[in-house]
Amino acid sequence: MTPYLIFVLKRFGQFLLVVFLGVTITFFVTHLTPIDPVEESIGAITQMGQSDPNAIELMRQSLRELYGMQGSIWEQYLHFWLRLATGDLGPSLSAFPTPVSTIILRSLPWTIGLMTVSTLITFVLGNAIGALAGYYRKDMLLKAVSLVFIALLPIPYYILAFVLLIVFGFIWPVLPINGGYEMNANLELSFALVLDILKHSILPALSLILVGAGSWLIGMRALVSNIITDDYVVFAELGGVPKGKILRSYIARNAMVPQFTGLAMSLGAIFNGTVITEIVFGYPGIGNLLIEAVHAGDYSLVLGLSALSIVGVAAAVFIIDVLSPLIDPRIKVE
């Protein structure tokens, strides 16, 4: 086998190990909680008037089978992996009998759409300003813009979310502040629905973009500041190459390699959602769903969301590792 193929196989083994350990830890942490979903369900049913002991016992057995809680903790662990391999995480406790996978699939597109778009805009905006500020270091406008984004960087994104909510929801009410679309909206695909969804996503996305762009700006500016002193850049400037071409072809192109690694990590982490932002704006994503599942003691749903997050981040790291030698020839695979 070629060295690169061996390198890919090793990284894939590490990916499987990370997923296995992460999901295992999540399983045992959730099963060590004092909440018993079966008894929670039985308690809710008995409150509605069901009191036949035989019926309750039969229901208890059926629910334990549905929730995969039969046998010892190790038998439950093995059963969990078998169900996870087939994509069957059992029914949700808080929305019984709806399957966990169905609930996740309802919320996942909202988080993927919000986080992907905001991450890409943040990446492009931060790196573009950072590259310009690093190369044109005496430009006062670039200095002022950079200062604004850097000043926003230490602010927690949920604080900025509250500020945006107050400004654009109450002081100057021009944007919707809650939900993913208008109540009683027609959910058939149409231009009006798409426009409504975009309007509801502006404030959550803006709170992430304004805070996140500063970190990309600082990183890119530092990379560009180091590269402009390299010999090939100095020779290009002395040779009369236009500054715009030097910035695009000589500086930014080389500086973007580590930035793309960070982008891949950020895209992998979109499965985590942005919990507090989604709560502030009532956005129907998986971050909001996770908090609701924790409050309801729905550990089947918590396990499903945690497994999705672990696989997403681990997959991003794996893709970065296997693509890095192809993007940057300085990286060796031996």
Side-chain angles (χ1 to χ4, degrees):
M1 288 190 291
T2 63
Y4 181 72
L5 182 57
I6 295 173
F7 170 78
V8 171
L9 291 176
K10 287 181 178 179
R11 291 296 182 267
F12 184 68
Q14 292 176 357
F15 163 74
L16 294 178
L17 180 61
V18 169
V19 171
F20 173 75
L21 292 176
V23 173
T24 297
I25 292 171
T26 304
F27 174 86
F28 283 105
V29 167
T30 54
H31 280 67
L32 289 174
T33 61
I35 298 175
D36 188 331
V38 172
E39 297 305 322
E40 290 280 334
S41 299
I42 295 295
I45 293 170
T46 54
Q47 287 178 2
M48 293 186 292
Q50 176 61 264
S51 59
D52 184 357
N54 293 327
I56 290 175
E57 185 57 34
L58 288 174
M59 191 176 301
R60 181 179 284 109
Q61 293 176 6
S62 298
L63 289 174
R64 288 199 173 277
E65 182 177 354
L66 280 172
Y67 289 127
M69 297 184 63
Q70 292 178 317
S72 66
I73 186 68
W74 297 107
E75 290 173 334
Q76 294 177 36
Y77 175 67
L78 178 60
H79 184 63
F80 167 74
W81 273 108
L82 293 174
R83 297 177 74 164
L84 184 62
T86 59
D88 176 19
L89 295 169
S92 164
L93 169 63
S94 56
F96 184 86
T98 308
V100 166
S101 56
T102 300
I103 296 175
I104 293 176
L105 288 176
R106 289 175 186 168
S107 299
L108 189 58
W110 295 96
T111 293
I112 289 179
L114 174 65
M115 295 297 296
T116 301
V117 173
S118 60
T119 298
L120 292 176
I121 293 175
T122 303
F123 176 80
V124 173
L125 181 64
N127 281 294
I129 298 174
L132 292 171
Y135 189 58
Y136 301 104
R137 288 174 289 181
K138 296 182 180 180
D139 189 288
M140 296 305 297
L141 177 60
L142 288 172
K143 285 184 178 181
V145 173
S146 300
L147 183 61
V148 170
F149 280 106
I150 294 172
L152 290 173
L153 181 59
I155 301 175
Y157 61 86
Y158 52 88
I159 298 296
L160 185 58
F162 278 117
V163 173
L164 292 174
L165 186 149
I166 293 171
V167 172
F168 295 103
F170 297 97
I171 298 176
W172 187 33
V174 293
L175 292 172
I177 61 174
N178 186 65
Y181 48 85
E182 290 292 339
M183 293 182 62
N184 303 320
N186 184 0
L187 298 182
E188 293 183 3
L189 183 61
S190 63
F191 177 77
L193 177 62
V194 172
L195 184 62
D196 188 24
I197 291 173
L198 289 176
K199 286 175 62 179
H200 279 77
S201 66
I202 289 175
L203 288 183
L206 193 59
S207 68
L208 300 172
I209 292 168
L210 291 177
V211 173
S215 61
W216 293 112
L217 188 156
I218 292 173
M220 189 63 172
R221 189 176 64 179
L223 290 167
V224 169
S225 297
N226 289 329
I227 292 174
I228 60 176
T229 59
D230 290 345
D231 292 342
Y232 65 91
V233 176
V234 175
F235 290 150
E237 291 176 338
L238 293 175
V241 178
K243 287 190 173 183
K245 184 177 181 180
I246 293 175
L247 179 60
R248 291 191 307 271
S249 302
Y250 291 80
I251 299 175
R253 186 175 179 180
N254 290 326
M256 286 303 294
V257 173
Q259 296 296 81
F260 275 121
T261 300
L263 175 63
M265 290 289 292
S266 298
L267 291 175
I270 65 174
F271 295 100
N272 296 332
T274 306
V275 177
I276 302 179
T277 296
E278 291 185 2
I279 291 174
V280 171
F281 295 105
Y283 203 75
I286 60 175
N288 208 351
L289 182 63
L290 177 61
I291 296 300
E292 293 177 357
V294 171
H295 287 165
D298 190 348
Y299 73 68
S300 296
L301 186 52
V302 172
L303 272 173
L305 292 169
S306 301
L308 177 68
S309 175
I310 292 166
V311 172
V313 175
V317 174
F318 170 70
I319 293 172
I320 293 168
D321 281 344
V322 299
L323 291 181
S324 293
L326 303 179
I327 297 173
D328 188 353
R330 293 172 296 181
I331 299 175
K332 304 299 181 182
V333 298
E334 289 84 357

